[in-house]
Structures are given as structure tokens and as C-alpha cells.
Amino acid sequence: MSTTRSLKKNHRQPQQKQNPSMAAPSAPPRRRKPRTLATVSALLFVFLVISVISLLLVSSNAWRAFQHVVSYDSITVVNEFPHDPQAFTQGLLYAGNDTLFESTGIYGKSSVRKVALRTGKVENLRKMDGSLFGEGLTLLSNRLIQVTWLQTKGFIYDLKNLSKIGTFNHDMKDGWGLATDGKVLFGSDGSSTVYQIDPQTFKVVSKQVVYYKGHQVHNLNELEYINGEVWANVYMTDCIVRISPNDGVVVGWIFLPSLRKELIEAGNNAIDVLNGIAWDAEQERIFVTGKLWPKLYEIKVSPIKKPIKEGMVEQLCLRSPFKF
């Protein structure tokens, strides 16, 4: 029998019924499940990666701080003016016509005062209750607004005569610094947070933690709003940090150790730290002073041309949280 005929015969031969228990195993099912699990796992992995990146970008200023270009500035003294060496400066602002307003601290010595820029003469002074420690001061709608240390209570004064016209309570943990862009108040409480405060209700409407290269910038003190940035004295340092109010990212550092060094070398050994920033927007003048400093300086800020040393900011400007 030829092979062809044999194959045809076998093809036509009916198949015998088999016992189910003895049946040949059927073809294995298509392996869809493993491929589905692999796909789900891959999607979950991608989702987790995207979530982590989004979390860093949206809720953590540390990531943005790594990506942002930071400027490093030095200063040149343009003018020197007399300043009351008994003034423990906490808040400072420029109000036009060569006039400054200043808030001073120390229990029993705290005050709000009007000061002539050129002479340093105190033209009007309102003493505070001995139980209060004056802190940050700003000016909005002809009202001087002041916060106090270790309290959430603040005061409102009439610009013309420094009479007290109101009190308020804020949502910060403490009162250190105040500034304004003319719409909202910016506040600090000695932490690494800049608060945005509604000037009508004094409620915090937003807050940003300030980071530099992944490090929180603690001890934010006296504040000033200058050309879209919040400038802050960093307590216990000779540094001013420039902050983006939108996200808390550090946009620059200003180094001012030469001022205190000069004062000490001139025999002013009783001075305390740098504190006090005022901005004359009309003439674009920057004024700085310190606690118990006999001088107030008009300064010019210029970028440092040479690259700064690695770790310089960490050494000069970053400190552990202040404890009292």
C-alpha cells in the first residue's frame, strides 16, 4: 500500500471513543494572564514614578531649589547714617521723604518710632507695655502693622501720630517679621516658613517652606518686599536670603559680614546681629542696620563674579533652628 493511500485510509477511519479518564490532555490555554499581570505591574511602576515626581514637584520646594539658579551677591556701602545704638531693631521700613519707621524689642524697652534718615533722630516714639517684645513692622494703607515675639497678638498704629488704633491675632506660631507687596502681608515666625496673610482678617492664606539645596533655611527674621521678592534676615548670621514668594525657592543670597566686622573693629563691641531691611522703591535705595548698631547703611548689591567656594552658604548662612 502506498503511503498516500495509507494516509487517506487513516484519515477516513472513524475515531474510537475514549474513556474520559484516559483522554489525552488538551492543548494548554493561551497565556494571557501572565502577560496581563506584567502589563499591570509595568503600569503601576510608571504610575508610582510619576506620583513620586509629582509629589516632589508640587509639595516639596526642596526639588525646585535644586533646579533653580541662585545668585550670590556682595555689597558696597553707598552712604552711612546715624542710628540709635540703644535700638534693638526688629522691624524697619522706609516711608518716603527720608523718613523711616522702626520697631524695637527688649521687654521694657520695646517701641514703635519715627526716625529721620539723615540724622538718625527719633522724631516720635510710642513705648509698648513692658510685657511685650516688639518685632516686625510694615506699612499698608497708612497703617503701621506690628507683630510681637512669643505671641500671636499684633497691633495697628496710625501713621501720622503712632496712636494705637487696633489689635489683631494671626495664625503664625510666633511673630518675627512682616512685609507687604501692597496686597498681602508676608510674615515670618523664626522658622523656615514664609506666610502670606490676609491684611483684613490676618488669617494665613498660604505658606511656603524655604529651601536651599535641599536644606531648610531656618530662623527667617525681619522681612522686606523688593521687586517681586521677599528678602529676609537670617537670624544669627550676616546673610540676607532672597526668596520667591510664589514657591519659597531661594533665588539669591547677599553676604554682609563686612558691616559688622567694621563696627567691631571700630570698638562697637556691644552690637548684636544684623537685622533690619528697608526699601525706597521710588529711588531704588536699600537700607540695612542691626540690633544696637550705631549706624544705618545705604547699600548697593552686586553679583559676585567669581564662583563661591563649595559649602560657603552652608557655613555662613544656614543655622539650626533657634531655641529659647
Side-chain angles (χ1 to χ4, degrees), residues 138 140 179-186 195-199 205 225 245:
T138 195
L140 181 62
T180 184
D181 63 354
K183 298 177 181 179
V184 302
L185 301 175
F186 298 98
Y195 300 84
Q196 292 193 28
I197 301 169
D198 185 317
V205 295
Y225 184 82

Side-chain angles (χ1 to χ4, degrees), residues 22 64 67 194 246 248 299 305 307 320:
M22 299 297 292
R64 291 193 293 271
Q67 305 300 314
V194 171
N246 298 322
I299 62 171
K305 296 180 180 179
S320 299

Side-chain angles (χ1 to χ4, degrees), residues 186-202:
F186 298 98
S188 66
D189 57 7
S191 67
S192 57
T193 301
V194 171
Y195 300 84
Q196 292 193 28
I197 301 169
D198 185 317
Q200 300 302 319
T201 65
F202 295 98

Side-chain angles (χ1 to χ4, degrees), residues 280-311:
D280 174 6
E282 184 176 344
Q283 299 186 50
E284 297 187 342
R285 295 185 294 176
I286 303 168
F287 304 101
V288 298
T289 190
K291 304 173 188 289
L292 309 178
W293 284 24
K295 292 183 180 182
L296 178 141
Y297 299 90
E298 179 187 345
I299 62 171
K300 180 181 179 181
V301 174
S302 304
I304 297 175
K305 296 180 180 179
K306 297 181 179 180
I308 66 169
K309 295 181 180 179
E310 185 68 27

Side-chain angles (χ1 to χ4, degrees), residues 227-275:
N227 289 335
E229 300 173 357
V230 174
W231 290 23
N233 286 117
V234 180
Y235 184 51
M236 298 184 292
T237 78
D238 293 308
C239 302
I240 291 174
V241 59
R242 296 166 50 196
I243 304 164
S244 167
N246 298 322
D247 52 19
V249 168
V250 172
V251 297
W253 289 97
I254 305 170
F255 306 113
L256 305 95
S258 59
L259 298 181
R260 192 159 60 95
K261 179 181 178 182
E262 175 189 299
L263 289 172
I264 292 175
E265 289 177 348
N268 299 287
N269 297 316
I271 65 171
D272 208 301
V273 297
L274 176 80
N275 200 51

